[in-house]
């Protein structure tokens, strides 16, 4: 008899959207249809991106919209649906800013994201690149890009500036039973932290025992120091109880089936020590990803949103095949 605990598998809504548009009742009905279809496939939960608002600093109306969205899901028969969230910081809401007022605005923004995570998912995980603003590359006073050693040196005071923000944010999240899992993202998308070790270094520098890291298979293939260092970083994160989330994603951020995913890392290094959910993460060729990630591949057509394309995979086909692929490469019973 197999007594291995069942592994939860979540699916990322980056396949469908980067904005849940919680105030849009028509779009909520489309989201409900996607959630039901994916639940029927066997997915246990979902990761949703919480879009950044305009530069307003009053987040209560926005948070209230997500209360309404969760209620709509419940009334549609999805009361058992589970959610994690994906969050990024922005040029406006920058916890690494040298300016105290801007750091305060960033803290309020991030607290609102914790609140939304709690509303949607309860005892859940907020993941994403939310230390330094995503995609905001620094330049000199003469508009010259900053790279390499100069970039690493430039980041040091930014990390220092963010410390007090994150210490307060971690207290706030812990009180609401939300885990914060910082995701390192490759350097052509955003400045540091780009590697698991950089996230762990930052967290270890805080006067707070909590705070974790997300390991994404696409990121560690495209931006890492190699498998031996990754093994040490996985062990380091586990030893400190900081391995909060694992994303299964292809290097081109497309279909997971038959892609260049380092399954041996999952089965040998992560599977024996990790106890959280796996997230299947596919970025579809939809705005803003088609532009920001320079996607040349065709879109996976989304049932209920796009016209069917005969002979090509739908978003649901890709999601179903990804779940089967994960089951094939892991020992978790389903």
């Amino acid at each position: 008899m197999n007594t291995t605990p069942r592994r939860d598998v979540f699916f990322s809504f980056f396949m469908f959207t980067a904005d849940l548009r919680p105030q849009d009742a028509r779009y909520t009905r489309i989201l409900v249809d996607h959630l039901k279809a994916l639940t029927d496939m066997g997915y246990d939960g979902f990761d949703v991106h919480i879009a950044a608002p305009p530069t307003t600093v009053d987040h209560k109306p926005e948070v209230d919209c997500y209360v309404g969205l969760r209620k709509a899901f419940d009334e549609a028969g999805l009361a058992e649906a589970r959610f994690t969230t994906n969050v990024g910081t922005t040029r406006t809401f920058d916890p690494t800013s040298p300016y105290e007022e801007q750091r305060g605005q960033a803290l309020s923004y991030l607290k609102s994201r914790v609140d939304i995570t709690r509303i949607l998912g309860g005892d859940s995980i907020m993941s994403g690149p939310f230390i330094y603003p995503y995609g905001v590359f620094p330049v000199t006073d003469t508009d010259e890009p900053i790279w390499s050693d100069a970039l690493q040196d430039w980041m040091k005071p930014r990390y220092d500036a963010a410390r007090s923000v994150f210490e307060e944010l971690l207290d706030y999240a812990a009180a609401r039973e939300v885990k914060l899992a910082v995701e390192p993202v490759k350097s052509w998308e955003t400045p540091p932290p780009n590697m698991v070790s950089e996230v762990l270094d930052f967290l270890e520098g805080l006067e707070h025992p909590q705070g974790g890291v997300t390991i994404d298979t696409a990121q560690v293939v495209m931006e890492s120091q190699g498998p031996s260092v990754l093994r040490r970083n996985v062990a380091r994160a586990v030893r400190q109880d900081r391995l909060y989330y694992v994303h299964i994603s292809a290097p081109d951020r497309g279909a997971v089936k038959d892609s260049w995913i380092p399954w041996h890392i999952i089965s040998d290094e992560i599977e024996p020590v990790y106890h959280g959910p796996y997230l299947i993460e596919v970025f579809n060729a939809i705005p803003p990803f088609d532009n920001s990630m320079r996607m040349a591949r065709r879109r996976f057509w989304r049932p209920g949103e796009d016209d069917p394309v005969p002979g090509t995979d739908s978003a649901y086909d890709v999601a179903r095949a990804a779940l089967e692929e994960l089951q094939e490469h892991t020992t978790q019973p389903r």
Side-chain angles (χ1 to χ4, degrees):
M1 179 178 178
N2 192 333
T3 59
T4 304
R6 183 178 181 276
R7 173 78 66 184
D8 286 342
V9 182
F10 285 28
F11 190 77
S12 170
F13 262 57
F14 281 150
M15 174 66 86
F16 306 107
T17 184
D19 186 356
L20 297 180
R21 303 185 336 229
Q23 73 287 353
D24 185 340
R26 184 195 65 83
Y27 192 62
T28 296
R29 290 193 292 272
I30 292 174
L31 294 176
V32 165
D33 289 343
H34 291 324
L35 291 167
K36 289 182 174 180
L38 291 161
T39 299
D40 289 344
M41 281 180 209
Y43 281 98
D44 302 291
F46 311 96
D47 188 70
V48 291
H49 181 247
I50 307 304
T55 55
T56 176
V57 295
D58 180 7
H59 300 287
K60 186 178 184 307
E62 183 187 14
V63 172
D64 289 344
C65 284
Y66 284 93
V67 173
L69 182 63
R70 178 74 240 201
K71 182 179 179 182
F73 289 163
D74 293 349
E75 291 174 347
L78 292 163
E80 301 302 315
R82 297 160 58 195
F83 295 91
T84 59
T85 61
N86 184 287
V87 169
T89 42
T90 70
R91 190 186 299 272
T92 299
F93 302 113
D94 178 4
T96 75
S97 171
Y99 304 108
E100 184 177 0
E101 181 179 357
Q102 190 174 14
R103 293 197 303 273
Q105 291 177 353
L107 177 59
S108 295
Y109 163 79
L110 288 168
K111 284 181 175 179
S112 74
R113 271 54 205 154
V114 170
D115 292 338
I116 292 168
T117 304
R118 179 69 192 182
I119 288 162
L120 292 177
D123 178 359
S124 190
I125 303 168
M126 180 177 112
S127 180
F130 53 83
I131 297 179
Y132 182 82
Y134 176 80
V136 180
F137 291 93
V139 296
T140 68
D141 290 344
T142 56
D143 285 333
E144 291 294 322
I146 300 173
W147 295 110
S148 191
D149 289 5
L151 178 58
Q152 292 293 329
D153 292 342
W154 187 88
M155 282 297 303
K156 289 178 181 177
R158 310 293 292 213
Y159 286 135
D160 290 342
R163 286 186 57 180
S164 61
V165 172
F166 272 81
E167 285 164 356
E168 184 170 343
L169 180 66
L170 284 163
D171 279 336
Y172 188 86
R176 287 151 184 80
E177 299 181 296
V178 172
K179 290 185 174 181
L180 301 184
V182 179
E183 180 181 359
V185 175
K186 57 191 173 296
S187 60
W188 67 260
E189 278 190 56
T190 192
N194 306 121
M195 293 182 289
V196 174
S197 57
E198 291 174 325
V199 171
L200 292 175
D201 288 345
F202 174 76
L203 294 173
E204 288 172 5
L206 303 179
E207 294 180 5
H208 201 287
Q210 293 181 294
V213 64
T214 294
I215 292 180
D216 183 308
T217 58
Q219 307 298 354
V220 299
V221 167
M222 292 186 285
E223 186 87 31
S224 73
Q225 297 159 299
S228 61
V229 174
L230 178 60
R231 290 187 192 98
R232 292 198 295 272
N233 283 329
V234 169
R236 178 183 172 190
V238 170
R239 188 167 57 249
Q240 299 175 9
D241 194 24
R242 297 190 192 276
L243 182 53
Y244 284 0
Y245 213 179
V246 174
H247 293 184
I248 308 297
S249 188
D252 73 341
R253 317 319 298 273
V256 166
K257 185 175 179 59
D258 195 29
S259 65
W260 297 102
I261 289 176
W263 290 111
H264 63 287
I265 297 290
I266 299 296
S267 61
D268 297 347
E269 308 299 331
I270 292 175
E271 183 83 358
V273 296
Y274 175 62
H275 306 294
Y278 286 136
L279 173 70
I280 298 290
E281 187 175 57
V282 178
F283 286 72
N284 205 354
I286 56 173
F289 308 131
D290 51 356
N291 180 48
S292 64
M293 294 188 174
R294 299 176 175 88
M295 290 185 176
R297 59 178 162 83
R298 292 189 179 277
R299 177 183 300 180
F300 304 120
W301 62 273
R302 299 162 296 173
E305 296 189 68
D306 303 317
D307 292 332
V309 181
T312 65
D313 288 337
S314 73
Y316 292 174
D317 294 328
V318 174
R320 188 177 295 105
L323 185 58
E324 293 170 354
E325 185 89 345
L326 177 63
Q327 292 167 357
E328 180 181 335
H329 287 282
T330 60
T331 59
Q332 298 298 326
R334 303 282 308 163

